[in-house]
Amino acid sequence: MDHKLFKKDVHWGEWLIQKALLLAGISSILIIALIFIFLFREAVRFFHTGTPMDLIGKWVYDDWEERNVFTMMWQSISEVPKYSLIPLICGSFLVAFPATLISAVLGIGCAVYLSEIAPYKVRETLKPALELLAGIPSVVIGFVMLAFIATFVQDLFHTKFRLNAFVGSLGVSLAVLPIMITISEDAMRAVPKELRDASYALGASKWQTIFGTVLPAAVSGISAAVILGFGRALGETMIVLMATGNAALVTGNIFSSVRTMTANIAAELGSVAQGSEHYYALFLVGAVLFTFTFVLNLFSEIVLSKMRQKLRM
Amino acid sequence: MIARTLAGGALADLDRDDVAQNPVKISVHDLNMYYGNVRALHGITMDIKERAVTALIGPSGCGKSTFLRTLNRMNDTIPGARIEGIVTIDGVNIYAPDVNVAALRRMVGMVFQKQNPFPKSVFDNVAYGPRLHGITDRAFLEHRVEESLKKSALWDEVKDRLHTSAMQLSGGQQQRLCIARVLAVNPEIILMDEPASALDPLSTAKIEELIHQLRKHYTIVIVTHNMQQAARVSDYTAYFYMGSLVEFGETKGIFTNPEKKETEDYITGRFG
Ligand SMILES: Nc1ncnc2c1ncn2[C@@H]1O[C@H](COP(=O)(O)OP(=O)(O)OP(=O)(O)O)[C@@H](O)[C@H]1O
Ligand SMILES: [Mg+2]
């Protein structure tokens, strides 16, 4: 067996690099798994004292009406603490929905311009500018919203609350915009040139080609961008903490103050007694939020891989 | 009696005398074409006959595709591309300033080297062109789609799955779908850039058979690297070399008794 065909080639450097990369990959998955486990373990402990019903609402004696009424409130510091998730989920969606809508409209428009219309030079200047937008710390966006835009919005719409879901969603849409643009632009550029050529060769104009060929072919990628953007919007913390007014109300009014799941955790977790019901309730909020964004990310990943399959020619 | 060609294989049994009487469809005069400062075509002059197949042959990079794209102005989409000279179709200069390029491309359809169906259903692929031009009437579209698929010899294979994705068809079927897509806009001229180079022999034979059929109604210009294919399908052959037209004439003549030594070397495979 000492024929040369049986001698192994030894490349120690490659072996080392391979193992190091494997380790890096495994440890990042491990870290995510640990966060997952820790979060859910702490969250579940809420049920040692609380009931699932508490997460929706509680029957509380109302001094005004002089009878028990069902209240859906998050009131952690109170004689009868209330841990209803409804106002928080409501607040999160009331901010994330409009934010996603605004950034989708702006972002897809911008992506169409960048990928299909902008001359080379314009694109090469605009793209780095967008990276800059992505680099603005969210606390700065939040500050600008709180200090300036909120006043502007109040003057424009004569709202009751200066800080409200709409102001928050404007800020969040800015934070989500870069990822929305990047992913949908990538999706449009991934549409093979051959398809555009086929369209032009049939006598299509530029806009007919964009609407008839490019956008339909990129629709999964664009949907993925929107879903992912929605996940980001749900997860955004600093801007909503600063700009939405933080009143945990169950409302559908976009000009009302709201409190999101993220802002709720950020505002309360610092001052809570470890191991208390309140503490576990906050983890529960975190777990719910995590589940939402996890499912959204998973979904967008599936949609993206569908698109890659579809365009494979 | 079918003559053996220099490339081996046989000439197609076409009714060539008939074609010689056909009028000129495309007339190219002293055509130069540039990519930026690089000159890709040098003073091409040739007349292409109506309802005949003209094959463009020549080594890689000699400008066949470039020439083909000047005939439907697809070069317009390439930044820095520029032409000099005259190309007329039915006597009209297609580079005149007020030519409607969309209308030109409807008249001059193009089939690409790599089959490029849209990631849509079979039906929507064929209906794409008519819809572009404002046709929305369902019955009319259905009729047009069926007619086009029949002309491209694909109807029997896809009539039961018109509404499934075109991406599920085989490569050869996809290429015939691309031909149907072109036929659906009622072109007069069809340009084909190596339409069978990515296909297996059986699919290639089907495409060639299809070209025989289409030849009766359309003017066809086809680029091919396959000498036997050029001999089998074409009435006229043009040999390009380094951006120039070296020799152009009836396929019978070019393949049995070329005038130029370079042409003979290329056809017999002693070159390129
Ligand atoms: N978009 C382009 N920009 C710049 N130069 C180009 C472009 N397309 C082609 N060329 C150049 O023009 C010349 C002719 O190219 P063309 O594609 O027409 O050759 P071809 O005969 O079709 O070759 P093949 O048989 O390989 O397809 C080549 O030198 C090529 O590099
Ligand atoms: Mg070519």
Side-chain angles (χ1 to χ4, degrees):
Chain A
M1 284 295 144
D2 48 0
H3 188 274
K4 65 181 176 189
L5 281 179
F6 293 100
K7 290 233 172 65
K8 291 229 155 40
D9 295 342
V10 185
H11 300 289
W12 282 105
E14 285 176 19
W15 183 86
L16 213 66
I17 291 171
Q18 198 185 339
K19 295 295 174 225
L21 290 178
L22 184 68
L23 199 69
I26 290 180
S27 50
S28 51
I29 293 177
L30 208 68
I31 290 169
I32 295 174
L34 283 176
I35 292 178
F36 202 89
I37 292 168
F38 175 71
L39 189 63
F40 280 86
R41 202 194 54 181
E42 298 291 273
V44 165
R45 291 200 175 143
F46 173 80
F47 297 112
H48 290 333
T49 48
T51 65
M53 194 57 198
D54 291 344
L55 301 177
I56 297 173
K58 253 189 184 142
W59 288 98
V60 186
Y61 186 77
D62 187 303
D63 296 329
W64 281 89
E65 302 202 14
E66 298 184 331
R67 63 183 178 89
N68 274 339
V69 286
F70 192 71
T71 46
M72 294 190 285
M73 278 205 272
W74 178 279
Q75 233 171 34
S76 49
I77 319 289
S78 144
E79 268 173 67
V80 192
K82 301 170 199 76
Y83 300 115
S84 167
L85 299 184
I86 304 296
L88 306 182
I89 293 176
C90 171
S92 278
F93 280 85
L94 206 59
V95 173
F97 262 131
T100 312
L101 200 68
I102 296 168
S103 63
V105 171
L106 284 178
I108 296 168
C110 197
V112 168
Y113 178 74
L114 280 176
S115 119
E116 304 300 315
I117 297 160
Y120 180 79
K121 274 189 187 148
V122 177
R123 186 168 69 229
E124 292 312 297
T125 356
L126 269 181
K127 293 226 26 169
L130 282 170
E131 317 266 297
L132 283 184
L133 180 62
I136 301 177
S138 56
V139 68
V140 174
I141 298 183
F143 180 74
V144 171
M145 288 296 142
L146 176 104
F148 307 109
I149 308 292
T151 313
F152 179 73
V153 168
Q154 190 169 34
D155 290 349
L156 198 65
F157 297 103
H158 306 290
T159 58
K160 191 160 130 223
F161 307 98
R162 205 179 83 88
L163 298 179
N164 55 50
F166 182 66
V167 175
S169 63
L170 282 182
V172 173
S173 72
L174 275 185
V176 175
L177 196 55
I179 172 178
M180 201 77 102
I181 295 173
T182 311
I183 298 184
S184 29
E185 199 220 347
D186 283 351
M188 280 183 242
R189 277 157 156 285
V191 176
K193 182 176 173 299
E194 285 79 11
L195 292 186
R196 293 184 176 82
D197 282 348
S199 176
Y200 287 127
L202 288 167
S205 67
K206 179 154 223 162
W207 285 104
Q208 284 175 321
T209 302
I210 291 173
F211 284 110
T213 299
V214 181
L215 285 177
V219 73
S220 337
I222 294 170
S223 324
V226 174
I227 298 167
L228 209 61
F230 187 58
R232 280 285 174 91
L234 276 182
E236 174 54 49
T237 306
M238 206 53 192
I239 298 173
V240 288
L241 186 63
M242 294 170 83
T244 57
N246 286 321
L249 305 172
V250 182
T251 172
N253 178 5
I254 189 172
F255 291 115
S256 155
S257 284
V258 293
R259 175 185 286 209
T260 67
M261 291 185 271
T262 50
N264 187 57
I265 297 172
E268 296 189 356
L269 196 58
S271 56
V272 70
Q274 197 169 350
S276 65
E277 191 183 38
H278 183 196
Y279 176 83
Y280 293 129
L282 289 177
F283 271 90
L284 198 83
V285 175
V288 170
L289 179 67
F290 186 78
T291 310
F292 273 124
T293 52
F294 184 78
V295 168
L296 284 172
N297 285 354
L298 197 69
F299 199 56
S300 78
E301 215 33 68
I302 293 170
V303 171
L304 269 176
S305 72
K306 276 263 162 57
M307 152 151 154
R308 283 188 208 106
Q309 264 171 30
K310 195 163 106 181
L311 286 178
R312 196 195 53 210
M313 298 211 301
Chain B
M1 189 13 223
I2 296 168
R4 260 197 95 68
T5 69
L6 293 169
L11 284 168
D13 193 11
L14 300 172
D15 194 356
R16 287 163 205 275
D17 299 332
D18 203 31
V19 168
Q21 310 300 322
N22 289 354
V24 169
K25 183 76 177 172
I26 309 171
S27 177
V28 180
H29 185 75
D30 200 16
L31 178 72
N32 295 315
M33 147 90 209
Y34 303 83
Y35 290 111
N37 294 324
V38 182
R39 191 165 169 186
L41 294 177
H42 299 259
I44 310 286
T45 297
M46 67 193 282
D47 285 341
I48 295 171
K49 293 259 170 136
E50 185 165 75
R51 278 175 283 112
V53 178
T54 302
L56 310 179
I57 60 171
S60 194
C62 69
K64 304 178 297 293
S65 301
T66 301
F67 176 72
L68 204 65
R69 286 196 302 261
T70 59
L71 303 181
N72 66 343
R73 292 188 58 171
M74 276 300 277
N75 283 333
D76 290 14
T77 63
I78 298 172
R82 176 168 64 80
I83 80 141
E84 287 165 358
I86 297 173
V87 179
T88 64
I89 294 179
D90 295 333
V92 179
N93 181 3
I94 62 169
Y95 284 92
D98 43 5
V99 163
N100 175 352
V101 179
L104 170 71
R105 291 186 184 147
R106 248 170 284 161
M107 190 164 103
V108 189
M110 188 168 215
V111 178
F112 297 81
Q113 174 168 5
K114 188 153 177 252
Q115 59 275 13
N116 54 358
F118 299 119
K120 302 174 189 280
S121 70
V122 172
F123 185 93
D124 288 340
N125 262 275
V126 184
Y128 189 89
R131 278 181 179 146
L132 280 181
H133 309 113
I135 297 170
T136 50
D137 181 58
R138 186 78 195 173
F140 185 91
L141 282 176
E142 274 168 9
H143 176 75
R144 181 63 71 79
V145 168
E146 176 172 344
E147 184 186 60
S148 308
L149 286 169
K150 278 180 175 159
K151 281 191 206 161
S152 68
L154 190 59
W155 176 251
D156 290 334
E157 290 160 63
V158 300
K159 63 171 184 276
D160 299 322
R161 44 177 170 159
L162 288 177
H163 298 286
T164 58
S165 170
M167 309 312 276
Q168 289 173 12
L169 302 181
S170 74
Q173 289 173 328
Q174 289 186 358
Q175 193 63 303
R176 276 178 285 147
L177 178 66
C178 293
I179 294 175
R181 188 171 65 183
V182 168
L183 296 179
V185 289
N186 283 338
E188 294 169 27
I189 300 167
I190 303 173
L191 311 175
M192 301 184 173
D193 196 345
E194 302 182 45
S197 68
L199 304 179
D200 64 282
L202 202 67
S203 305
T204 303
K206 281 192 183 154
I207 299 274
E208 288 182 11
E209 171 58 28
L210 180 56
I211 293 172
H212 276 296
Q213 299 300 321
L214 296 175
R215 172 177 167 275
K216 297 178 195 127
H217 308 283
Y218 303 92
T219 305
I220 297 175
V221 185
I222 178 174
V223 173
T224 176
H225 273 287
N226 180 333
M227 292 307 108
Q228 281 100 323
Q229 183 172 71
R232 280 193 301 263
V233 303
S234 71
D235 301 287
Y236 295 91
T237 297
Y239 173 58
F240 280 74
Y241 181 65
M242 302 233 321
S244 300
L245 179 61
V246 176
E247 189 167 348
F248 174 50
E250 288 188 20
T251 300
K252 201 172 13 178
I254 299 252
F255 275 83
T256 53
N257 189 19
E259 277 171 22
K260 300 246 170 64
K261 179 83 171 58
E262 299 104 287
T263 315
E264 183 174 339
D265 287 348
Y266 183 72
I267 290 173
T268 54
R270 258 170 276 166
F271 171 98

